[in-house]
């Protein structure tokens, strides 16, 4: 975590991954469509003298242009409507300058300091302590924060969280996550519907004088959809956790206050889960509460690891007394230590060289 900005390799890799994810979407759509055809013909049967696999292949080839057009349409909708989709499932509502001048000014000052376009602001009515960024271009980028976060973090900590999300936008992480969540998510949705349907009904293969089904085709179709579903989930899990370390580092570079980031992480830990929000969207959030065995499959490193990285690399310090979040509705302001932190350099590193005396 040596640098936060100027990470051109990281940004380039994110652009490459974004293109690969879009290409992968088409592959997953083709696999899912073929699996659905196998299941449909396996159930309904095909005329005597034909095979289910042959008939499914023939229909798939004839429908290929329409399947491709449908995938392209979904990509278009995902790129144009992703913020609205995410806002719909999180309940986020736009926040104008006059609604919260202080919060707006915090984000605006961070943008001015780096010459970045000002993203939109949104608020989520939730007691959870969390934030996330969404959008795929400058006209869409939005930073959303929960009411719980604003109520229970002090100004320096809120600023650190905003700087973290702003770094995600600059590094191209948000665009990558939107593609993974919104676009690949439709495959997971189809897979879930199929398997829920099979969980509620018995497999009955058509077999009459005119048509004959195939249990093998049904099993293969289910397996193909299961593979597509697994790959769609794997897309999310394959996203590098390093993006969170880099965003933490970017926040420190912007605010010159690693202690505020550490304090924010400690307050948010264990209180980040936004009720009713899908796991894919939670992957986009500032914190996603991984713990124990689940940490192996999380898109976020644990708070412990993030704090350790800030201490070892950014010169941050643990609070003398770990911050205990106040009750909902109360506000707790910790000493920000901004002046002392700034004196230790742009990364707040401890002074190098021999000490006094």
């Amino acid at each position: 975590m040596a640098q936060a900005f100027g990470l051109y390799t990281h940004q380039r890799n994110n652009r490459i991954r974004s293109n690969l994810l879009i290409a992968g979407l088409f592959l997953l759509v083709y696999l899912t469509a073929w699996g659905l055809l196998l299941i449909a013909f396996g159930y309904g049967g095909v005329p005597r003298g034909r095979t289910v696999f042959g008939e499914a292949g023939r229909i798939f080839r004839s429908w290929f242009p329409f399947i491709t057009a449908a995938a392209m349409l979904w990509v278009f909708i995902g790129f144009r409507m992703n913020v609205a989709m995410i806002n719909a499932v999180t309940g986020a509502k736009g926040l104008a300058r006059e609604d919260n001048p202080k919060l707006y000014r915090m984000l605006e000052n961070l943008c001015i300091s780096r010459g970045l376009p000002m993203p939109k602001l949104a608020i989520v009515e939730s007691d959870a302590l969390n934030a996330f960024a969404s959008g795929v271009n400058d006209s869409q980028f939005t930073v959303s924060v929960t009411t719980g976060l604003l109520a229970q973090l002090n100004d320096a900590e809120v600023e650190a969280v905003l700087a973290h999300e702003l770094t995600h936008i600059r590094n191209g992480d948000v665009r990558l996550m939107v593609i993974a969540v919104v676009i690949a998510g439709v495959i997971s949705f189809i897979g879930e519907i199929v398997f829920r349907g099979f969980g509620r009904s018995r497999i009955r293969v058509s077999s009459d004088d005119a048509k004959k089904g195939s249990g093998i085709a049904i099993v293969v179709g289910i397996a193909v959809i299961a593979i597509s579903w697994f790959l769609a989930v794997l897309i999310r899990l394959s996203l590098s956790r390093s993006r969170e370390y880099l965003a933490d580092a970017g926040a420190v570079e912007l605010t010159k206050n690693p202690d505020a980031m550490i304090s924010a992480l400690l307050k948010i830990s264990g209180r980040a889960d936004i009720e009713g929000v899908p796991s894919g969207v939670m992957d986009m959030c500032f914190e996603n509460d991984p713990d124990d065995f689940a940490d192996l499959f999380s898109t976020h490193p644990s708070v412990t690891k993030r704090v350790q990285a800030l201490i070892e690399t950014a010169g941050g310090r643990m609070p003398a007394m770990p911050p205990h979040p106040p009750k909902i509705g109360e506000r707790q302001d910790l000493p920000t230590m901004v002046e002392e932190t700034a004196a230790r350099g742009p990364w707040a590193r401890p002074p190098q060289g021999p000490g006094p005396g």
Side-chain angles (χ1 to χ4, degrees):
M1 200 174 67
Q3 298 180 16
F5 293 115
L7 296 174
Y8 298 114
T9 299
H10 178 73
Q11 295 172 1
R12 185 186 68 246
N13 288 343
N14 273 346
R15 287 193 293 270
I16 294 172
R17 291 187 186 120
S18 297
N19 293 332
L20 289 176
L21 286 183
I22 293 174
L25 165 71
F26 285 87
L27 175 61
L28 294 181
V29 168
Y30 297 144
L31 284 174
T32 302
W34 187 56
L36 289 174
L37 286 171
L38 287 176
I39 293 173
F41 284 116
Y43 266 122
V46 296
R48 296 284 180 174
R50 300 182 183 179
T51 65
V52 169
F53 287 94
E55 195 69 6
R58 184 183 68 81
I59 297 297
F60 177 79
R61 288 189 296 272
S62 64
W63 285 7
F64 186 85
F66 302 103
I67 296 172
T68 302
M72 293 176 65
L73 178 62
W74 178 247
V75 171
F76 176 77
I77 293 174
F79 269 66
R80 291 294 297 270
M81 303 292 294
N82 67 87
V83 175
M85 292 177 184
I86 293 170
N87 287 351
V89 299
T90 61
K93 298 180 180 178
L95 197 68
R97 180 190 292 269
E98 54 270 20
D99 297 326
N100 193 325
K102 183 167 67 173
L103 182 66
Y104 197 97
R105 188 166 55 251
M106 280 185 188
L107 184 59
E108 189 175 47
N109 288 341
L110 290 170
C111 292
I112 291 172
S113 70
R114 286 291 169 181
L116 300 175
M118 175 72 177
K120 300 172 185 175
L121 267 172
I123 192 80
V124 179
E125 293 288 340
S126 171
D127 291 338
L129 278 61
N130 224 324
F132 59 89
S134 55
V136 297
N137 54 49
D138 290 342
S139 65
Q140 290 184 347
F141 288 135
T142 304
V143 174
S144 302
V145 297
T146 64
T147 51
L149 182 111
L150 296 180
Q152 303 202 34
L153 268 62
N154 64 37
D155 290 350
E157 293 159 353
V158 171
E159 184 182 48
V161 172
L162 293 176
H164 175 101
E165 298 305 327
L166 195 60
T167 304
H168 273 318
I169 291 175
R170 178 165 186 178
N171 286 352
D173 300 327
V174 176
R175 177 187 174 94
L176 183 66
M177 287 300 299
V178 164
I179 293 173
V181 171
V182 176
I183 295 179
V186 71
I187 305 298
S188 299
F189 177 72
I190 293 173
E192 187 173 346
I193 290 177
V194 169
F195 284 97
R196 282 185 178 180
F198 279 109
R200 297 174 183 174
S201 62
R202 297 175 60 186
I203 297 178
R204 297 178 180 178
V205 177
S206 173
S207 181
D208 55 35
D209 294 338
K211 293 183 177 182
K212 183 178 181 180
S214 172
I216 295 177
I218 294 175
V219 171
V220 172
I222 294 173
V224 168
I225 292 177
I227 291 172
S228 299
W229 191 5
F230 173 75
L231 291 176
V233 173
L234 193 63
I235 284 175
R236 280 169 42 199
L237 300 182
S238 67
L239 298 176
S240 174
R241 296 185 188 186
S242 65
R243 74 186 192 282
E244 294 302 326
Y245 293 119
L246 294 171
D248 288 345
V252 172
E253 189 185 30
L254 276 170
T255 64
K256 310 298 186 294
N257 194 351
D259 301 319
M261 175 57 73
I262 289 174
S263 181
L265 283 166
L266 293 175
K267 281 187 179 181
I268 291 171
S269 179
R271 309 187 71 198
D273 190 34
I274 306 175
E275 186 176 355
V277 172
S279 61
V281 176
M282 284 300 302
D283 289 342
M284 301 176 64
C285 289
F286 177 85
E287 167 59 6
N288 197 16
D289 286 342
D291 56 6
D292 301 329
F293 181 74
D295 186 39
L296 296 174
F297 303 98
S298 174
T299 56
H300 286 59
S302 66
V303 164
T304 301
K305 293 177 181 177
R306 290 169 69 177
V307 168
Q308 183 180 0
L310 288 167
I311 292 173
E312 293 178 353
T313 309
R317 299 173 303 178
M318 287 288 289
M321 294 183 63
H324 297 283
K327 295 179 181 180
I328 300 298
E330 296 180 354
R331 186 176 180 89
Q332 176 180 344
D333 289 325
L334 296 177
T336 61
M337 298 176 284
V338 175
E339 293 181 0
E340 182 179 349
T341 302
R344 288 182 282 160
W347 279 95
R349 285 184 179 278
Q352 303 297 316

